[in-house]
Every structure is written in C-alpha cells, then in structure tokens.
Amino acid sequence: MANFIEQFKREIEQFAPGAPAAPADRGIVSRVGDGVAEIEGLEGARMSEMIRFDTAHGKNLEEALKAPTDIFGVVLNLEEGLVRAIILGDTGAVAEGMGVMTTGEVLSVPVGDSIAGRIVNSLCEPLDGLGAIQCDRRNPVERIAYGVMDRQSVNSPLHTGIKAIDSMIPIGRGQRELIIGDRYTGKTTIAIDTILNQKNEPMERRPVCIYVAIGQKESKTARIAAELKEAGAMEYTVIVDAGASAPAALQYLAPFVGAAIGEYFMEKGKDALIIYDDLSKHAVAYRQLSLILRRPPGREAYPGDVFYLHSRLLERAAKLSDKKGGGSLTALPIIETQEGDVSGYIPTNVISITDGQIFLETESFNKGMRPAINAGLSVSRVGSAAQTKAMKKVSGRIKLELAQFRELEAFMQFAQDLDPETKKRIDAGVRMTATLKQKNAAPVAFERQAVIIYAATHGYLEEVKVERVQEFEEKLLAFLDANAAPVLENIARSGDITAQTEEELKLQLKKFKNTHPDLFQ
C-alpha cells in the first residue's frame, strides 16, 4: 500500500507537472468501522475523489515514524454535513478525531505496456514478486463509457477455440457475452480456454487478456496463473486479484481497475479481452459495502443502484471507430446461478446488459458433455457478423439441429419404435454432440474447427461409431497436417473455404477414409 501511495504522489506530479493544486478541503473522522469512515466537513469533496487521512496527527515523533505514512480513501457517499468513504489500506490506523483532506484527484491506477504478464491487486500493485511496474500514465478507475458516435459495429471474431461457441454462439471483438450457470459447470474453464486460444492468433491480432478474480480462492487464482504460465499465455495476460480474503472495498474496485487497464490497450488501437470472474460475488461485495455506507436496501438487500453498478462497468466494452484507432475491449462477465435459476435478481440484470449469454447446465455437465452448453438457451446477439466466412458456411444449421435433437432425445425415452427419418436425425444429433465435445485446456484453432465441422455436417461421420468420433477428429487433423497442410493454411489466411479449397478438402477426406477403413465400420 505504501508503494501505491508513493507512486500515486510521484505520478500525479509527473503527468501533471506544474498544475495548480486546488486548495484542500479538510475534515475530521467522526466514526470508523468495517473499512468505512464517516467524515464531517469536506464540503468540496467529489464523488470517487481520493482523500488522505492524517495518520501522524497528535503523535509524537517516535509514534509518527512507526505509523503508516499515508492512508488514502475514496469518497462514495456525499451527504448533508458529512461524507462517507471507503478506506484503502490498514483500517486499524484510522481513528475517530483524525484529520482528513481532499487530494483533488479521482481514484486512478497506473497503466502501461509493461503490465502485461503481471499479477496485480485492485490498486495495480504487483503481487508476483517481479518488481515495480513501469507505467505510461494513470487511468481513472471510473469513467463515462464511449458514446455511439465513437464506436463501430462489432464485425471481427474473437475465437475462443471452443467448437460449440465459435460455431453456434460466436463472440465478436467489442462484444459483451455473459457466461452463466451453476457452480462447477465449467464457467471459468471456458474463459481460461479463450485466453489460451489467443496463442493461435497472429501476433498482430492477438488481444491482451485481463482476468479479474473477484472473491475467488487464492488457490484457484494461483492454479490459473500457473496454467497460463505453463502454456505460454501469461506473456499477454494480466491477472487482477481481489481474493476472498480481500476487503469488500477492494473486491468492489477490482473489475473497474481491470476495465481501466483494458481501456489503455483499446485506446492504443489494440484489442483487449477482459473476464470478470464473477459478478455475482462483485454484487455481494457491493451490497456489503452499501449497507455499511447506510444506503437503503432494496430487493434481496441489494441497493437500488446495483443495476447501474454493472451497466456502467460493462458499457465500457466497445469496438472503437477507425477515427478513434479501431481498438476493442471485449467483456466476458461470469454469473453464478442457484439451481439453474436465471430469473434471479443479479442474473436478469446482467442478461439485460449483455449482448447474449452462454448458458451452462448442470444436467449436461453430469452427463459428461464438455463444455456443458445449452444450445437452446444460449445466444449471441451479434451473430454471424462475428464469424468468418468459413465458419458461416460449415455451421449454418448446427444450432437448430441440436435444439431439435434435444427435443427428440426426450421423446425417444418413451417411444418404442422410431421411423427411419427420426432415427436418422437422432443419430446425426448424437454424432454432432460428440463432435462438439472438447477437453479442458485444449482449444482448437479456427481453421481446424472449420475442417472438423465440415466433415460432421457433410455426412463423413455417418459410418463412424459415436465413441470413436474423438479419435476420428484427432486422426483427421494429423492426416491433414502431414498430407494437406496448405488446405489448413488457406482457410486460416483467407478466413474462407473457397470452391477450390473445398474440392481439395473433399479429396483429402476421401483419401483419409481409404487410409483409415477401421474407423468407418
């Protein structure tokens, strides 16, 4: 914390040298508890302004040297005759009767290119023991999102490497796509696989990824960091950690700090991806903070502005216009449901803010479907605008066919005899479901996905047993790597399956069938 304060003071001078300082308002702490200070005075304080507590006041020299040098807070309540602020630091060092002064600066955090590959806390202080972070500037934690005229429509894909998502629920750069489901259904896994898959993207198109852990176990965050490092993905990733043991104030700030980091890269014309894991815990931290701040509780004890809390956060995701540099910030918020109830207060709020949702269900997860996506309830409101031509061609009817298959599958449990057409459709659905299954931490590059789905939708799996579909995929991709690498390269380079490429692909699929007759029995 002391490092943050010192850096804050140095950088204010560095980035605004010679700026006339506004006369500081002064006040006195009248009450303190649970990380919140009630302060009398400070008539000129502003919302989200940083204030400084005079921790050395009333102490002799020896006590003053032992005391923390500077403790800052952030104003969150402006009331008649007093303000309430959250304390950033050791709350035990703040006491009644202590002097307080305004700083004239809203809460901001240091950002820069060197933050990539680092693990930081909610104040951008390093937690990884790799030394100080060199910053280019400070970004405000809270800011107004870009307006309509500064944006352009989402038109380029952000590939997740997950076949079920890239084919049925495509995500575009600048989109806000919610990942929603019960505990232990694979929500974080989808987010982490998306980060891992960016290694398959060309360097110039590779987004900077920001993973914000809100109220998560430290062991989980450490495991994720180790997994990213082992896969070589940490070099383009930032982890903002506000763990379960962190004060509610820091859990509340964490996603806004992540957005400030993402906006730095977006404004430089780059692409960024931010994952909020998860906003359910963020809402709980905000509820705790709000009740301590004496804000009136509403539904489920949440304050009335909890919708505004998440809307102003998620609205910061954008695809900027070419005039603004063309950068993008894509948001993947995560929401945890109780017993699959998407009609809860926080889930419905975030669903209405985002551009679609990926719904994970416990039933599919328990059946062994990975990822456990419900194709009927999941949707992307950006749709095929965020898909390459190749993926549009091969994945056209997958979602509809899977939804129909789910209905027929339920009907099949009670039917004795099935007509040939229904049986054929069910068999195709079973094989397509098997095709979309995927192991954790094994994202598939877009061109390889296109080839697999092409084979599945053009009847090449009809003679393959369901339990051997995974083997079919692995052997087909190995065969193409060895004998037809230019086919994959053409799809990756052009983003399309041209007539010539399709003819070559058909020829290679025929050769593959002749080479591996044991698979087609």
Side-chain angles (χ1 to χ4, degrees), residues 249-268:
L250 295 183
Q251 291 186 36
Y252 156 72
L253 287 175
F256 292 99
V257 169
I261 295 169
E263 282 170 339
Y264 167 77
F265 293 102
M266 176 176 72
E267 288 165 353
K268 288 188 72 175

mmCIF file of all heavy atoms in Angstrom, residues 249-268:
data_model
loop_
_atom_site.group_PDB
_atom_site.id
_atom_site.type_symbol
_atom_site.label_atom_id
_atom_site.label_comp_id
_atom_site.label_asym_id
_atom_site.label_seq_id
_atom_site.Cartn_x
_atom_site.Cartn_y
_atom_site.Cartn_z
ATOM 1 N N ALA A 249 -14.182 -3.493 -0.137
ATOM 2 C CA ALA A 249 -13.865 -2.300 -0.938
ATOM 3 C C ALA A 249 -12.967 -2.653 -2.115
ATOM 4 O O ALA A 249 -13.176 -2.178 -3.238
ATOM 5 C CB ALA A 249 -13.189 -1.244 -0.061
ATOM 6 N N LEU A 250 -11.960 -3.514 -1.889
ATOM 7 C CA LEU A 250 -11.046 -3.893 -2.971
ATOM 8 C C LEU A 250 -11.714 -4.852 -3.954
ATOM 9 O O LEU A 250 -11.419 -4.819 -5.150
ATOM 10 C CB LEU A 250 -9.771 -4.502 -2.391
ATOM 11 C CG LEU A 250 -8.910 -3.548 -1.547
ATOM 12 C CD1 LEU A 250 -7.629 -4.231 -1.090
ATOM 13 C CD2 LEU A 250 -8.590 -2.262 -2.302
ATOM 14 N N GLN A 251 -12.628 -5.705 -3.457
ATOM 15 C CA GLN A 251 -13.393 -6.561 -4.374
ATOM 16 C C GLN A 251 -14.310 -5.711 -5.252
ATOM 17 O O GLN A 251 -14.514 -6.016 -6.429
ATOM 18 C CB GLN A 251 -14.213 -7.575 -3.581
ATOM 19 C CG GLN A 251 -13.370 -8.638 -2.881
ATOM 20 C CD GLN A 251 -14.219 -9.721 -2.225
ATOM 21 O OE1 GLN A 251 -15.256 -10.108 -2.762
ATOM 22 N NE2 GLN A 251 -13.783 -10.207 -1.072
ATOM 23 N N TYR A 252 -14.847 -4.653 -4.682
ATOM 24 C CA TYR A 252 -15.709 -3.735 -5.440
ATOM 25 C C TYR A 252 -14.917 -3.012 -6.528
ATOM 26 O O TYR A 252 -15.389 -2.831 -7.656
ATOM 27 C CB TYR A 252 -16.341 -2.730 -4.476
ATOM 28 C CG TYR A 252 -16.781 -1.432 -5.103
ATOM 29 C CD1 TYR A 252 -17.890 -1.368 -5.939
ATOM 30 C CD2 TYR A 252 -16.079 -0.255 -4.853
ATOM 31 C CE1 TYR A 252 -18.289 -0.171 -6.517
ATOM 32 C CE2 TYR A 252 -16.475 0.942 -5.423
ATOM 33 C CZ TYR A 252 -17.582 0.975 -6.263
ATOM 34 O OH TYR A 252 -17.956 2.164 -6.833
ATOM 35 N N LEU A 253 -13.671 -2.622 -6.223
ATOM 36 C CA LEU A 253 -12.870 -1.848 -7.175
ATOM 37 C C LEU A 253 -12.277 -2.708 -8.289
ATOM 38 O O LEU A 253 -12.046 -2.208 -9.394
ATOM 39 C CB LEU A 253 -11.729 -1.140 -6.439
ATOM 40 C CG LEU A 253 -12.092 0.056 -5.555
ATOM 41 C CD1 LEU A 253 -10.860 0.544 -4.813
ATOM 42 C CD2 LEU A 253 -12.682 1.182 -6.398
ATOM 43 N N ALA A 254 -12.023 -3.993 -8.025
ATOM 44 C CA ALA A 254 -11.249 -4.842 -8.935
ATOM 45 C C ALA A 254 -11.730 -4.813 -10.392
ATOM 46 O O ALA A 254 -10.926 -4.593 -11.305
ATOM 47 C CB ALA A 254 -11.213 -6.273 -8.411
ATOM 48 N N PRO A 255 -13.031 -5.050 -10.696
ATOM 49 C CA PRO A 255 -13.429 -5.059 -12.104
ATOM 50 C C PRO A 255 -13.266 -3.703 -12.787
ATOM 51 O O PRO A 255 -12.966 -3.643 -13.985
ATOM 52 C CB PRO A 255 -14.896 -5.495 -12.070
ATOM 53 C CG PRO A 255 -15.351 -5.286 -10.681
ATOM 54 C CD PRO A 255 -14.145 -5.407 -9.809
ATOM 55 N N PHE A 256 -13.441 -2.617 -12.041
ATOM 56 C CA PHE A 256 -13.262 -1.286 -12.624
ATOM 57 C C PHE A 256 -11.793 -1.032 -12.945
ATOM 58 O O PHE A 256 -11.462 -0.398 -13.945
ATOM 59 C CB PHE A 256 -13.797 -0.214 -11.669
ATOM 60 C CG PHE A 256 -15.293 -0.261 -11.505
ATOM 61 C CD1 PHE A 256 -15.861 -0.877 -10.410
ATOM 62 C CD2 PHE A 256 -16.126 0.289 -12.459
ATOM 63 C CE1 PHE A 256 -17.235 -0.939 -10.251
ATOM 64 C CE2 PHE A 256 -17.510 0.232 -12.318
ATOM 65 C CZ PHE A 256 -18.065 -0.380 -11.220
ATOM 66 N N VAL A 257 -10.911 -1.556 -12.096
ATOM 67 C CA VAL A 257 -9.470 -1.444 -12.361
ATOM 68 C C VAL A 257 -9.117 -2.263 -13.609
ATOM 69 O O VAL A 257 -8.344 -1.814 -14.458
ATOM 70 C CB VAL A 257 -8.667 -1.919 -11.130
ATOM 71 C CG1 VAL A 257 -7.188 -2.063 -11.458
ATOM 72 C CG2 VAL A 257 -8.860 -0.941 -9.972
ATOM 73 N N GLY A 258 -9.698 -3.454 -13.722
ATOM 74 C CA GLY A 258 -9.481 -4.272 -14.921
ATOM 75 C C GLY A 258 -9.924 -3.549 -16.178
ATOM 76 O O GLY A 258 -9.236 -3.576 -17.211
ATOM 77 N N ALA A 259 -11.077 -2.880 -16.104
ATOM 78 C CA ALA A 259 -11.587 -2.120 -17.256
ATOM 79 C C ALA A 259 -10.644 -0.966 -17.598
ATOM 80 O O ALA A 259 -10.413 -0.674 -18.779
ATOM 81 C CB ALA A 259 -12.987 -1.595 -16.960
ATOM 82 N N ALA A 260 -10.081 -0.311 -16.583
ATOM 83 C CA ALA A 260 -9.141 0.797 -16.816
ATOM 84 C C ALA A 260 -7.889 0.295 -17.544
ATOM 85 O O ALA A 260 -7.366 0.965 -18.437
ATOM 86 C CB ALA A 260 -8.764 1.457 -15.492
ATOM 87 N N ILE A 261 -7.415 -0.902 -17.170
ATOM 88 C CA ILE A 261 -6.256 -1.498 -17.847
ATOM 89 C C ILE A 261 -6.620 -1.829 -19.298
ATOM 90 O O ILE A 261 -5.859 -1.535 -20.231
ATOM 91 C CB ILE A 261 -5.784 -2.763 -17.103
ATOM 92 C CG1 ILE A 261 -5.268 -2.406 -15.707
ATOM 93 C CG2 ILE A 261 -4.699 -3.488 -17.899
ATOM 94 C CD1 ILE A 261 -5.022 -3.603 -14.809
ATOM 95 N N GLY A 262 -7.804 -2.444 -19.499
ATOM 96 C CA GLY A 262 -8.245 -2.795 -20.849
ATOM 97 C C GLY A 262 -8.402 -1.575 -21.745
ATOM 98 O O GLY A 262 -8.059 -1.614 -22.931
ATOM 99 N N GLU A 263 -8.914 -0.487 -21.175
ATOM 100 C CA GLU A 263 -9.111 0.739 -21.966
ATOM 101 C C GLU A 263 -7.777 1.336 -22.417
ATOM 102 O O GLU A 263 -7.709 1.950 -23.489
ATOM 103 C CB GLU A 263 -9.893 1.763 -21.141
ATOM 104 C CG GLU A 263 -11.377 1.457 -21.089
ATOM 105 C CD GLU A 263 -12.125 2.318 -20.096
ATOM 106 O OE1 GLU A 263 -11.500 2.867 -19.171
ATOM 107 O OE2 GLU A 263 -13.354 2.432 -20.247
ATOM 108 N N TYR A 264 -6.737 1.145 -21.629
ATOM 109 C CA TYR A 264 -5.421 1.646 -22.036
ATOM 110 C C TYR A 264 -5.011 1.016 -23.370
ATOM 111 O O TYR A 264 -4.575 1.706 -24.299
ATOM 112 C CB TYR A 264 -4.385 1.327 -20.957
ATOM 113 C CG TYR A 264 -2.955 1.517 -21.416
ATOM 114 C CD1 TYR A 264 -2.398 2.782 -21.521
ATOM 115 C CD2 TYR A 264 -2.175 0.414 -21.776
ATOM 116 C CE1 TYR A 264 -1.089 2.954 -21.964
ATOM 117 C CE2 TYR A 264 -0.869 0.576 -22.213
ATOM 118 C CZ TYR A 264 -0.331 1.846 -22.307
ATOM 119 O OH TYR A 264 0.954 2.016 -22.762
ATOM 120 N N PHE A 265 -5.159 -0.320 -23.474
ATOM 121 C CA PHE A 265 -4.782 -1.011 -24.711
ATOM 122 C C PHE A 265 -5.767 -0.689 -25.837
ATOM 123 O O PHE A 265 -5.360 -0.518 -26.994
ATOM 124 C CB PHE A 265 -4.692 -2.516 -24.464
ATOM 125 C CG PHE A 265 -3.564 -2.902 -23.550
ATOM 126 C CD1 PHE A 265 -3.796 -3.212 -22.220
ATOM 127 C CD2 PHE A 265 -2.268 -2.946 -24.017
ATOM 128 C CE1 PHE A 265 -2.749 -3.552 -21.368
ATOM 129 C CE2 PHE A 265 -1.207 -3.284 -23.184
ATOM 130 C CZ PHE A 265 -1.449 -3.584 -21.855
ATOM 131 N N MET A 266 -7.061 -0.603 -25.516
ATOM 132 C CA MET A 266 -8.069 -0.278 -26.528
ATOM 133 C C MET A 266 -7.787 1.082 -27.153
ATOM 134 O O MET A 266 -7.883 1.250 -28.374
ATOM 135 C CB MET A 266 -9.464 -0.296 -25.896
ATOM 136 C CG MET A 266 -10.579 0.127 -26.831
ATOM 137 S SD MET A 266 -12.235 -0.025 -26.092
ATOM 138 C CE MET A 266 -12.200 1.331 -24.919
ATOM 139 N N GLU A 267 -7.429 2.063 -26.325
ATOM 140 C CA GLU A 267 -7.189 3.417 -26.830
ATOM 141 C C GLU A 267 -5.897 3.520 -27.631
ATOM 142 O O GLU A 267 -5.676 4.499 -28.334
ATOM 143 C CB GLU A 267 -7.186 4.404 -25.658
ATOM 144 C CG GLU A 267 -8.591 4.620 -25.089
ATOM 145 C CD GLU A 267 -8.596 5.283 -23.721
ATOM 146 O OE1 GLU A 267 -7.498 5.470 -23.140
ATOM 147 O OE2 GLU A 267 -9.688 5.611 -23.239
ATOM 148 N N LYS A 268 -5.039 2.507 -27.521
ATOM 149 C CA LYS A 268 -3.827 2.462 -28.342
ATOM 150 C C LYS A 268 -4.084 1.770 -29.683
ATOM 151 O O LYS A 268 -3.155 1.548 -30.463
ATOM 152 C CB LYS A 268 -2.719 1.712 -27.596
ATOM 153 C CG LYS A 268 -2.134 2.485 -26.416
ATOM 154 C CD LYS A 268 -0.927 1.786 -25.836
ATOM 155 C CE LYS A 268 0.266 1.892 -26.755
ATOM 156 N NZ LYS A 268 1.500 1.312 -26.162
#
